[in-house]
C-alpha cells in the first residue's frame, strides 16, 4: 500500500509534459512513451482508444485507461499549429494546472476502484463462507426437550413466567447479534420477544428466516432484568423452535411490498398485509373495543339490539345515492339506513339500536366518505328533542368512559392518539342560522365562493373549518327542511326548519346525524307528496302513525368517523377493515 501511495503522490509530476519544439511537440513529450490524446469537444470516453483518430473526452478517462505515466495531449480548438507547443493537428501537452487537477481526480478514482475491488473480494469470500455455512446448517438437527410445554397466547405470558411454554405466531421483527437471534413474535394477541441462542441459531431455517414467517417456539418466559425493555416486561428464552411457513425475502420481502412510502393505491391493494402493521392493527382493535363499549352502553340504557335487512325497496336519504340491483326480476337497493325499520320496532321492543352496514353511491373522494360504512343507529320513543340531545351526549361520553376504563384499549389509544382530550358536557349547542352568521363573520365562503345564506347546505370544508376553530363537540341543530330528509319533524312555529341535529367533532366534522321524526300521519303523507315519493311502498312505515303514534326520534352514527376522531386518523379509510370508496371494491 505504501508503494501505491508513493506512486499516487508523484502522479502530478509525471503528468506534467515539458514544452517541446514547435514542429511536432507531441512526439517530444516526456513520460512512459505512451501518448494519449484528448478532444473534449469530439472525443468519447466510451469508444476511444487514445489515438488522434479516436481521442478520449476527458484527461481522467485517458489516464484510467492508459495508466498514470501516459503523456496526455489535449486538443486546442482555438490554437494555431506551431504556437505554444501546438502540433499540426491542434494538440498540445496538458497544462500544469490541468495536470495537477487530473492527478487528484486520478488518485481518488484509483482509491475508489481499489476499495471496490477489496469489497468485491470480501463479498465473494463472505458469499463462499455463507454458502458453506448454509450447507453445513442443513445437517443441524434440533431435539425437543422432554419437559412438556404448555401452549399459550402471547397475552397470557405474564401468567406463565418461569414455566415452559409453546407460542406460535408471525415473525414481526428479526435481528441477529453475537450468536443470538432476537425475534419479536406476533400472534394477534400481543408481541413477545424471543431469544434463540447456540445451536438454535445454526439451523438452515434460522439462517434464512424472514419477517412474517410463521414459527413455533418453546422455552421459558423470564422477567427482564432492571434496565431492559421488551413487550410485557419479559422474554421467551427458547430451547426449541421450528419454522412452520417461511415468508419470501428479496424484492418480495414484506417490508418492500408494504413500505410506508409506497403508493396509496398499492397499499390499498395490499390491505391484507397492511393490517399486520402495529398502527393498522391497533386501530382495528380499538374499533372492536369501541363497538363492545357502545353495546354495553346501549344495554345500560335499556336499548335492544335488532338486525334489519340490507336489501330494501325503499329509500331513506334520497334516490341519487342508492346502489340498485335486480332482486328476482324486481328493482331493489342496498340500504342507506336502517332507520325506517328501527321505528317499526318501538311498539314491540321499546327503544332499539343496530350496528349494520349502510351503502351510499355518493361519488365523493373526501377523507370522511366511504361507499360502505358501519352505521350505528338508534330509535327512541316518547321523548323530546332535548331528550334526544341529552341521550346523544350520554351515548358518546358513556361509551368513551367504558373504552378508557379498559386497560388494553387505553394503551392502544395512548399509542395512537396520546393527546386525546375527553369531551366535556354539555356539548356546545349551535343553531343552523347561528352557524351561517358565524361563517360569514369569519369570512368562510360557500362552495360558490360567496357568503353563506340561510338555505345553504353547509359544505364539508366550511363545516370543518368552523368545527376546528371552535375545537369542541358541537350540536348543530335546526336545519332547513329542504336540505333534510322527508320524515324529519318540523319546528313548531318555524315550519321551514326541522328538529334535526348533526354532531360535529374537531378534526373530522359530522359523526352523527339525527332528528325527531314526524308523528302525524297526514303530515307524513304530505311529505311524501312534496318529495315526489310514491307513498304505497311505504305503507308499513306510515302504519306506525296509524296504529298508535308517539313523539319519537333517532340518529345514525358513522363508526369509522367516530374512530377517525378518537384515534386521530387522517381518513376514515384507516378505520375500516377493507374500505370501499368510489372505484375501490378490492381486495
Amino acid at each position: 500500500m505504501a508503494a501505491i501511495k508513493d506512486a499516487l503522490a508523484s502522479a502530478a509530476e509525471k503528468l506534467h509534459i515539458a514544452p517541446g519544439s514547435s514542429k511536432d511537440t507531441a512526439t517530444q513529450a516526456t513520460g512512459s512513451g505512451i501518448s494519449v490524446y484528448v478532444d473534449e469537444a469530439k472525443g468519447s470516453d466510451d469508444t476511444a482508444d487514445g489515438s488522434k483518430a479516436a481521442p478520449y473526452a476527458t484527461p481522467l478517462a485517458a489516464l484510467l485507461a492508459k495508466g498514470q505515466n501516459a503523456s496526455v495531449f489535449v486538443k486546442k480548438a482555438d490554437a494555431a499549429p506551431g504556437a505554444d507547443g501546438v502540433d499540426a493537428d491542434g494538440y498540445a501537452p496538458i497544462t500544469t494546472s490541468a495536470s495537477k487537477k487530473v492527478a487528484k481526480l486520478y488518485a481518488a478514482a484509483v482509491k475508489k476502484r481499489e476499495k471496490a475491488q477489496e469489497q468485491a473480494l470480501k463479498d465473494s469470500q463472505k458469499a463462499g463462507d455463507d454458502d458453506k455455512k448454509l450447507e453445513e446448517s442443513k445437517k443441524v438437527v434440533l431435539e425437543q426437550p422432554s419437559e412438556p410445554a404448555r401452549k399459550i397466547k402471547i397475552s397470557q405470558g405474564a401468567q406463565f413466567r418461569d414455566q415452559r411454554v409453546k407460542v406460535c405466531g408471525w415473525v414481526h421483527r428479526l435481528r441477529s447479534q453475537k450468536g443470538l437471534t432476537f425475534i419479536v413474535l406476533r400472534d394477534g394477541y400481543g408481541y413477545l420477544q424471543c431469544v434463540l441462542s447456540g445451536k438454535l441459531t445454526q439451523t438452515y431455517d434460522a439462517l434464512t428466516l424472514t419477517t412474517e414467517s410463521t414459527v413455533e417456539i418453546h422455552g421459558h418466559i423470564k422477567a427482564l432484568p432492571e434496565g431492559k425493555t421488551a413487550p410485557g416486561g419479559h422474554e421467551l428464552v427458547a430451547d426449541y423452535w421450528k419454522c412452520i411457513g417461511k415468508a419470501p425475502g428479496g424484492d418480495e420481502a414484506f417490508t418492500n411490498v408494504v413500505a410506508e412510502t409506497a403508493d396509496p393505491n398499492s397499499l390499498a391493494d395490499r390491505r391484507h398485509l397492511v393490517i399486520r402493521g402495529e398502527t393498522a392493527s391497533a386501530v382495528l382493535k380499538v374499533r372492536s373495543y369501541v363497538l363492545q363499549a357502545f353495546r354495553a352502553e346501549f344495554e345500560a340504557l335499556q336499548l335492544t339490539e335488532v338486525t334489519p335487512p340490507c336489501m330494501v325497496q325503499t329509500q331513506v336519504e334520497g334516490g341519487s345515492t342508492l346502489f340498485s340491483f335486480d332482486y328476482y326480476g324486481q328493482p331493489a337497493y342496498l340500504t342507506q339506513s336502517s332507520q325506517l325499520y328501527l321505528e317499526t320496532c318501538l311498539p314491540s321492543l321499546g327503544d332499539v339500536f343496530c350496528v349494520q352496514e349502510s351503502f351510499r353511491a355518493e361519488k365523493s373522494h373526501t377523507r370522511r366518505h366511504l361507499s360502505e360504512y358501519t352505521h350505528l343507529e338508534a330509535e327512541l320513543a316518547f321523548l323530546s328533542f332535548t331528550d334526544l340531545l341529552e341521550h346523544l351526549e350520554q351515548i358518546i361520553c358513556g361509551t368513551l368512559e367504558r373504552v378508557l376504563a379498559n386497560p388494553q384499549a387505553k394503551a392502544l389509544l395512548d399509542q395512537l392518539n396520546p393527546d386525546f382530550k375527553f369531551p366535556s358536557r354539555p356539548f356546545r349547542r349551535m343553531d343552523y342560522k347561528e352557524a351561517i352568521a358565524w361563517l360569514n363573520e369569519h369570512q368562510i365562503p360557500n362552495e360558490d365562493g360567496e357568503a353563506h345564506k340561510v338555505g345553504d347546505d353547509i359544505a364539508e370544508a366550511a363545516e370543518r373549518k368552523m368545527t376546528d376553530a371552535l375545537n369542541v363537540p358541537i350540536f348543530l341543530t335546526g336545519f332547513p327542511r329542504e336540505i333534510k330528509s322527508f320524515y324529519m319533524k318540523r319546528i313548531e312555529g318555524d315550519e321551514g326548519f326541522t328538529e334535526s341535529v348533526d354532531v360535529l367533532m374537531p378534526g373530522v366534522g359530522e359523526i352523527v346525524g339525527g332528528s325527531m321524526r314526524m308523528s302525524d300521519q297526514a303530515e307524513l303523507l304530505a311529505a311524501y307528496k312534496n318529495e315526489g315519493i310514491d307513498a304505497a311502498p311505504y305503507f308499513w312505515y306510515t302504519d306506525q302513525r296509524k296504529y298508535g303514534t308517539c313523539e319519537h326520534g333517532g340518529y345514525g352514527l358513522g363508526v369509522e368517523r367516530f374512530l377517525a376522531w378518537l384515534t386521530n386518523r387522517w381518513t376514515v379509510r384507516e378505520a375500516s377493515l377493507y374500505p370501499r370508496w368510489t372505484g375501490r371494491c378490492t381486495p
Side-chain angles (χ1 to χ4, degrees):
M1 290 297 295
I4 293 175
K5 290 181 179 178
D6 292 340
L8 294 176
S10 63
E13 292 180 6
K14 293 182 178 180
L15 282 171
H16 176 59
I17 308 299
S21 68
S22 60
K23 292 184 179 180
D24 192 359
T25 313
T27 61
Q28 300 175 14
T30 60
S32 64
I34 300 176
S35 296
V36 59
Y37 297 89
V38 174
D39 185 342
E40 295 177 351
K42 298 180 180 179
S44 170
D45 288 343
D46 297 323
T47 60
D49 60 15
S51 66
K52 288 184 178 181
Y56 287 98
T58 62
L60 177 59
L63 289 187
L64 290 173
K66 301 299 183 180
Q68 60 180 349
N69 292 324
S71 299
V72 179
F73 297 86
V74 180
K75 184 90 171 201
K76 299 290 185 180
D78 56 350
D84 298 326
V86 180
D87 69 8
D89 297 312
Y91 285 95
I94 189 168
T95 65
T96 301
S97 60
S99 68
K100 288 181 178 180
K101 182 177 181 181
V102 75
K104 291 180 180 179
L105 294 174
Y106 178 80
V110 168
K111 285 183 179 179
K112 184 176 181 180
R113 184 162 59 185
E114 286 175 348
K115 286 183 178 179
Q117 290 171 343
E118 290 174 5
Q119 187 60 48
L121 180 60
K122 289 179 181 178
D123 291 344
S124 177
Q125 291 172 342
K126 185 177 184 300
D129 293 342
D130 289 346
D131 289 343
K132 183 178 179 181
K133 190 175 181 180
L134 279 177
E135 283 303 312
E136 292 175 349
S137 71
K138 294 177 182 179
K139 303 173 185 176
V140 179
V141 178
L142 301 180
E143 294 183 4
Q144 188 170 169
S146 58
E147 181 184 353
R150 177 166 180 172
K151 183 180 178 182
I152 66 167
K153 301 293 187 185
I154 286 176
S155 58
Q156 299 173 293
Q159 305 169 36
F160 292 93
R161 286 185 180 178
D162 298 319
Q163 298 181 44
R164 190 164 187 270
V165 298
K166 175 176 72 174
V167 182
C168 301
W170 287 259
V171 177
H172 189 64
R173 283 193 293 272
L174 175 67
R175 66 185 174 91
S176 298
Q177 177 184 324
K178 296 180 180 178
L180 299 174
T181 298
F182 293 90
I183 296 172
V184 175
L185 197 65
R186 182 189 75 243
D187 70 348
Y189 296 90
Y191 300 89
L192 176 65
Q193 178 168 286
C194 305
V195 184
L196 310 184
S197 61
K199 196 174 180 181
L200 300 185
T201 67
Q202 299 167 10
T203 66
Y204 181 80
D205 282 338
L207 297 179
T208 58
L209 192 61
T210 53
T211 56
E212 293 307 313
S213 295
T214 44
V215 295
E216 176 184 309
I217 305 180
H218 300 217
H220 291 77
I221 294 181
K222 298 290 185 181
L224 287 174
E226 190 174 345
K228 301 290 185 179
T229 59
H234 51 236
E235 64 186 9
L236 178 63
V237 180
D239 56 34
Y240 176 79
W241 79 285
K242 63 180 179 180
C243 183
I244 300 171
K246 192 167 293 180
D251 292 340
E252 288 190 282
F254 179 81
T255 51
N256 289 332
V257 297
V258 294
E260 290 184 4
T261 56
D263 176 79
N265 282 327
S266 174
L267 292 177
D269 288 339
R270 299 180 184 273
R271 179 67 177 168
H272 58 292
L273 298 179
V274 170
I275 61 177
R276 298 186 182 197
E278 291 180 31
T279 298
S281 62
V283 172
L284 294 177
K285 286 178 181 177
V286 170
R287 179 187 174 102
S288 175
Y289 290 128
V290 164
L291 289 174
Q292 291 174 36
F294 267 122
R295 285 189 165 96
E297 188 64 22
F298 278 126
E299 183 179 2
L301 296 173
Q302 294 185 291
L303 274 76
T304 301
E305 183 171 7
V306 294
T307 52
C310 286
M311 295 186 291
V312 300
Q313 291 184 305
T314 52
Q315 67 184 51
V316 181
E317 300 293 338
S320 64
T321 66
L322 284 168
F323 281 108
S324 61
F325 65 95
D326 181 271
Y327 188 73
Y328 303 108
Q330 299 180 42
Y333 314 98
L334 295 177
T335 185
Q336 302 161 312
S337 166
S338 298
Q339 175 212 319
L340 305 189
Y341 294 101
L342 293 184
E343 287 188 50
T344 68
C345 298
L346 296 177
S348 57
L349 301 176
D351 299 342
V352 292
F353 78 97
C354 72
V355 181
Q356 199 86 331
E357 298 306 293
S358 284
F359 306 84
R360 302 278 174 90
E362 187 174 2
K363 293 182 179 179
S364 177
H365 286 277
T366 75
R367 55 192 177 103
R368 71 176 191 180
H369 280 91
L370 291 170
S371 297
E372 176 187 5
Y373 65 97
T374 303
H375 210 174
L376 190 151
E377 300 180 87
E379 289 293 321
L380 303 96
F382 302 105
L383 84 167
S384 66
F385 188 53
T386 298
D387 294 335
L388 179 62
L389 298 186
E390 290 176 353
H391 167 85
L392 280 169
E393 280 182 342
Q394 180 58 41
I395 198 65
I396 291 172
C397 294
T399 296
L400 289 173
E401 287 170 354
R402 293 176 186 275
V403 171
L404 295 174
N406 182 317
Q408 289 79 25
K410 177 67 165 58
L412 291 170
L413 279 175
D414 288 343
Q415 169 192 331
L416 295 166
N417 188 9
D419 297 324
F420 175 73
K421 294 181 180 179
F422 197 95
S424 59
R425 289 192 269 186
F427 293 177
R428 175 166 180 165
R429 269 68 166 167
M430 176 180 275
D431 181 76
Y432 165 85
K433 297 172 189 174
E434 180 187 348
I436 293 293
W438 190 97
L439 291 168
N440 290 333
E441 180 184 342
H442 291 81
Q443 299 182 334
I444 299 175
N446 63 17
E447 288 186 301
D448 297 323
E450 302 173 351
H452 281 87
K453 61 184 181 296
V454 173
D456 283 351
D457 189 358
I458 300 173
E460 176 190 356
E463 178 187 85
R464 181 171 289 171
K465 285 182 180 179
M466 179 182 71
T467 308
D468 290 351
L470 296 173
N471 200 32
V472 293
I474 301 170
F475 280 148
L476 186 58
T477 62
F479 291 90
R481 55 185 283 185
E482 289 81 9
I483 64 175
K484 285 297 183 180
S485 299
F486 69 90
Y487 51 76
M488 291 189 178
K489 184 178 178 64
R490 314 295 188 229
I491 295 175
E492 189 174 348
D494 195 5
E495 279 72 15
F497 297 86
T498 57
E499 288 193 334
S500 54
V501 59
D502 283 355
V503 182
L504 311 180
M505 288 297 186
V508 176
E510 179 192 352
I511 65 167
V512 177
S515 75
M516 296 298 290
R517 319 307 192 188
M518 289 180 178
S519 58
D520 182 76
Q521 182 178 355
E523 184 182 17
L524 181 59
L525 290 172
Y528 290 140
K529 185 176 181 179
N530 185 62
E531 293 293 327
I533 297 173
D534 181 5
Y538 293 86
F539 72 93
W540 54 273
Y541 180 65
T542 308
D543 274 356
Q544 302 308 306
R545 284 79 182 161
K546 181 178 180 180
Y547 292 93
T549 190
C550 72
E551 293 297 322
H552 63 287
Y555 57 89
L557 178 148
V559 172
E560 287 81 10
R561 290 189 184 183
F562 183 88
L563 283 164
W565 164 68
L566 178 60
T567 61
N568 194 30
R569 297 300 95 192
W570 171 253
T571 169
V572 294
R573 296 175 186 178
E574 295 182 58
S576 174
L577 180 60
Y578 285 98
R580 302 293 189 238
W581 66 88
T582 307
R584 167 67 61 176
C585 198
T586 55

PDB file of all heavy atoms in Angstrom, residues 69 89 96 125 144 270 305-306 351 377 397 496:
ATOM      1  N   ASN A  69       1.345   7.090 -16.070  1.00  0.00           N
ATOM      2  CA  ASN A  69       2.592   7.538 -16.687  1.00  0.00           C
ATOM      3  C   ASN A  69       2.412   7.959 -18.138  1.00  0.00           C
ATOM      4  O   ASN A  69       3.382   8.369 -18.783  1.00  0.00           O
ATOM      5  CB  ASN A  69       3.631   6.418 -16.612  1.00  0.00           C
ATOM      6  CG  ASN A  69       4.060   6.155 -15.177  1.00  0.00           C
ATOM      7  OD1 ASN A  69       4.165   7.094 -14.388  1.00  0.00           O
ATOM      8  ND2 ASN A  69       4.309   4.896 -14.840  1.00  0.00           N
ATOM      9  N   ASP A  89      -2.066  19.019 -35.713  1.00  0.00           N
ATOM     10  CA  ASP A  89      -3.476  18.630 -35.562  1.00  0.00           C
ATOM     11  C   ASP A  89      -4.183  19.382 -34.442  1.00  0.00           C
ATOM     12  O   ASP A  89      -5.334  19.080 -34.116  1.00  0.00           O
ATOM     13  CB  ASP A  89      -3.566  17.127 -35.298  1.00  0.00           C
ATOM     14  CG  ASP A  89      -3.049  16.309 -36.461  1.00  0.00           C
ATOM     15  OD1 ASP A  89      -3.460  16.610 -37.605  1.00  0.00           O
ATOM     16  OD2 ASP A  89      -2.242  15.392 -36.223  1.00  0.00           O
ATOM     17  N   THR A  96       0.070  22.587 -16.743  1.00  0.00           N
ATOM     18  CA  THR A  96       0.470  22.233 -15.380  1.00  0.00           C
ATOM     19  C   THR A  96      -0.732  22.219 -14.437  1.00  0.00           C
ATOM     20  O   THR A  96      -0.919  21.285 -13.647  1.00  0.00           O
ATOM     21  CB  THR A  96       1.526  23.233 -14.860  1.00  0.00           C
ATOM     22  OG1 THR A  96       2.648  23.208 -15.736  1.00  0.00           O
ATOM     23  CG2 THR A  96       1.951  22.877 -13.449  1.00  0.00           C
ATOM     24  N   GLN A 125     -15.678 -13.711  -0.754  1.00  0.00           N
ATOM     25  CA  GLN A 125     -15.255 -14.630   0.307  1.00  0.00           C
ATOM     26  C   GLN A 125     -16.401 -14.910   1.270  1.00  0.00           C
ATOM     27  O   GLN A 125     -16.623 -16.048   1.676  1.00  0.00           O
ATOM     28  CB  GLN A 125     -14.051 -14.047   1.045  1.00  0.00           C
ATOM     29  CG  GLN A 125     -12.778 -13.999   0.211  1.00  0.00           C
ATOM     30  CD  GLN A 125     -11.662 -13.255   0.907  1.00  0.00           C
ATOM     31  OE1 GLN A 125     -11.886 -12.483   1.851  1.00  0.00           O
ATOM     32  NE2 GLN A 125     -10.429 -13.489   0.457  1.00  0.00           N
ATOM     33  N   GLN A 144     -36.147 -31.810  20.635  1.00  0.00           N
ATOM     34  CA  GLN A 144     -37.051 -31.156  21.568  1.00  0.00           C
ATOM     35  C   GLN A 144     -36.839 -31.722  22.971  1.00  0.00           C
ATOM     36  O   GLN A 144     -36.816 -32.941  23.168  1.00  0.00           O
ATOM     37  CB  GLN A 144     -38.500 -31.364  21.130  1.00  0.00           C
ATOM     38  CG  GLN A 144     -39.491 -30.555  21.941  1.00  0.00           C
ATOM     39  CD  GLN A 144     -40.886 -30.577  21.371  1.00  0.00           C
ATOM     40  OE1 GLN A 144     -41.817 -30.152  22.012  1.00  0.00           O
ATOM     41  NE2 GLN A 144     -41.046 -31.083  20.138  1.00  0.00           N
ATOM     42  N   ARG A 270     -52.888  -4.057  -1.170  1.00  0.00           N
ATOM     43  CA  ARG A 270     -52.258  -4.979  -0.214  1.00  0.00           C
ATOM     44  C   ARG A 270     -52.761  -4.737   1.211  1.00  0.00           C
ATOM     45  O   ARG A 270     -52.042  -4.930   2.183  1.00  0.00           O
ATOM     46  CB  ARG A 270     -50.736  -4.836  -0.285  1.00  0.00           C
ATOM     47  CG  ARG A 270     -50.160  -5.182  -1.656  1.00  0.00           C
ATOM     48  CD  ARG A 270     -48.651  -5.033  -1.675  1.00  0.00           C
ATOM     49  NE  ARG A 270     -48.088  -5.273  -2.992  1.00  0.00           N
ATOM     50  CZ  ARG A 270     -47.739  -6.458  -3.467  1.00  0.00           C
ATOM     51  NH1 ARG A 270     -47.905  -7.534  -2.714  1.00  0.00           N
ATOM     52  NH2 ARG A 270     -47.224  -6.593  -4.662  1.00  0.00           N
ATOM     53  N   GLU A 305     -80.906  -4.566  20.820  1.00  0.00           N
ATOM     54  CA  GLU A 305     -80.262  -4.636  19.507  1.00  0.00           C
ATOM     55  C   GLU A 305     -81.118  -5.461  18.549  1.00  0.00           C
ATOM     56  O   GLU A 305     -81.596  -6.541  18.889  1.00  0.00           O
ATOM     57  CB  GLU A 305     -78.867  -5.248  19.600  1.00  0.00           C
ATOM     58  CG  GLU A 305     -78.142  -5.275  18.267  1.00  0.00           C
ATOM     59  CD  GLU A 305     -76.679  -5.676  18.367  1.00  0.00           C
ATOM     60  OE1 GLU A 305     -76.237  -6.069  19.473  1.00  0.00           O
ATOM     61  OE2 GLU A 305     -75.966  -5.592  17.346  1.00  0.00           O
ATOM     62  N   VAL A 306     -81.281  -4.938  17.333  1.00  0.00           N
ATOM     63  CA  VAL A 306     -82.006  -5.643  16.287  1.00  0.00           C
ATOM     64  C   VAL A 306     -81.133  -5.693  15.028  1.00  0.00           C
ATOM     65  O   VAL A 306     -80.123  -4.997  14.926  1.00  0.00           O
ATOM     66  CB  VAL A 306     -83.362  -4.956  15.964  1.00  0.00           C
ATOM     67  CG1 VAL A 306     -84.290  -5.058  17.149  1.00  0.00           C
ATOM     68  CG2 VAL A 306     -83.147  -3.493  15.575  1.00  0.00           C
ATOM     69  N   ASP A 351     -87.125   1.029  22.961  1.00  0.00           N
ATOM     70  CA  ASP A 351     -86.019   1.693  22.281  1.00  0.00           C
ATOM     71  C   ASP A 351     -85.056   0.647  21.727  1.00  0.00           C
ATOM     72  O   ASP A 351     -84.719  -0.338  22.393  1.00  0.00           O
ATOM     73  CB  ASP A 351     -85.283   2.628  23.240  1.00  0.00           C
ATOM     74  CG  ASP A 351     -86.186   3.732  23.779  1.00  0.00           C
ATOM     75  OD1 ASP A 351     -87.240   3.985  23.170  1.00  0.00           O
ATOM     76  OD2 ASP A 351     -85.838   4.314  24.812  1.00  0.00           O
ATOM     77  N   GLU A 377     -77.124   2.873  14.541  1.00  0.00           N
ATOM     78  CA  GLU A 377     -78.361   3.656  14.536  1.00  0.00           C
ATOM     79  C   GLU A 377     -79.237   3.298  15.730  1.00  0.00           C
ATOM     80  O   GLU A 377     -79.210   2.158  16.209  1.00  0.00           O
ATOM     81  CB  GLU A 377     -79.120   3.430  13.243  1.00  0.00           C
ATOM     82  CG  GLU A 377     -78.326   3.835  11.999  1.00  0.00           C
ATOM     83  CD  GLU A 377     -79.103   3.605  10.719  1.00  0.00           C
ATOM     84  OE1 GLU A 377     -79.863   4.498  10.322  1.00  0.00           O
ATOM     85  OE2 GLU A 377     -78.964   2.515  10.125  1.00  0.00           O
ATOM     86  N   CYS A 397     -70.326   9.971  25.475  1.00  0.00           N
ATOM     87  CA  CYS A 397     -69.425  10.061  26.633  1.00  0.00           C
ATOM     88  C   CYS A 397     -69.404   8.767  27.437  1.00  0.00           C
ATOM     89  O   CYS A 397     -68.348   8.353  27.936  1.00  0.00           O
ATOM     90  CB  CYS A 397     -69.832  11.245  27.518  1.00  0.00           C
ATOM     91  SG  CYS A 397     -69.594  12.840  26.725  1.00  0.00           S
ATOM     92  N   GLY A 496     -90.328  25.992   8.436  1.00  0.00           N
ATOM     93  CA  GLY A 496     -89.330  25.885   7.384  1.00  0.00           C
ATOM     94  C   GLY A 496     -88.064  25.180   7.846  1.00  0.00           C
ATOM     95  O   GLY A 496     -87.180  24.884   7.038  1.00  0.00           O
TER      96      GLY A 496
END
